[in-house]
Amino acid sequence: MGRVKYVDADGDGKINYNDRTWLGCDLPKAQFGLNLAANWKGFDLSMFFTSIIRDAFNNSKYYTDLFQCWNGNHGTRLLDATKAYDNYLLTGYYNCDTPAPTTDNNNNEHEVSEFHIENGSFLRMKTLTVGYSLPASLRSKLKLSNARIYLQAQNLFTITNYSGADPEGLGYPYALPRQYTVGIQFGF
């Protein structure tokens, strides 16, 4: 009930070290990038998207979802697990992907299992830049060869089902920050 279940892979009737099996690799199956750019009457727009298709090992679940394995802060999925456990006590049915909270690790849930493997595919808008270049007539009056102002944003959004902090930097406990830059370029 509500616990990670291990498979007797070697069929000897015991769950032990000999039942370990290959779960796969989190190296990308495919990587994509798409760069789009447009110019119109002195305005310019460029967008860069990046994407990876892969299965991912989410080691943060050890800290966020397994209450008995970590005594620091936990994830909000434990609240869903607590509600599912309360419902189990009433109905006999545990309906949650997160193991039921417990203080005892007698099921060895600290061991790597398929519980930690999830879809790590994502699509991210890595960079968006919007700029404006001064017209040639104004640049010549100011004796500038070029003059442009721009706003750039990085890591604007990510589309993913990955439950960890960041599907691009697996194992890193923090998401990539969203960054904004305002700039002025000019030349004489």
Side-chain angles (χ1 to χ4, degrees), residues 92-134:
Y93 180 68
Y94 186 80
N95 185 21
C96 189
D97 293 336
T98 303
T102 182
T103 57
D104 187 9
N105 191 26
N106 61 4
N107 194 34
N108 293 324
E109 288 170 348
H110 63 282
E111 296 287 341
V112 174
S113 68
E114 284 183 346
F115 171 71
H116 296 91
I117 308 297
E118 58 186 77
N119 182 348
S121 301
F122 69 90
L123 171 68
R124 172 172 282 158
M125 179 180 262
K126 195 72 172 168
T127 309
L128 171 68
T129 306
V130 178
Y132 177 73
S133 297
L134 293 177

Side-chain angles (χ1 to χ4, degrees), residues 3 29 33 42 50 77 92 110 121 130 136 140 143 147 158 182 184:
R3 306 275 27 109
K29 296 174 185 169
T50 184
R77 289 184 298 275
H110 63 282
S121 301
V130 178
S140 66
K143 300 195 184 322
T158 304
V182 175
I184 301 173

Side-chain angles (χ1 to χ4, degrees), residues 35-92:
N35 201 2
L36 303 170
N39 293 302
W40 179 71
K41 294 187 178 185
F43 290 95
D44 61 89
L45 170 72
S46 67
M47 297 180 283
F48 176 62
F49 295 89
T50 184
S51 179
I52 293 179
I53 297 173
R54 69 165 161 218
D55 291 329
F57 172 70
N58 184 353
N59 69 339
S60 65
K61 283 186 168 184
Y62 176 86
Y63 304 104
T64 60
D65 295 4
L66 301 174
F67 183 81
Q68 69 279 17
C69 295
W70 171 251
N71 61 4
N73 291 333
H74 296 283
T76 57
R77 289 184 298 275
L78 275 178
L79 298 173
D80 295 333
T82 301
K83 290 176 190 171
Y85 183 74
D86 289 343
N87 191 48
Y88 166 78
L89 295 176
L90 297 172
T91 66

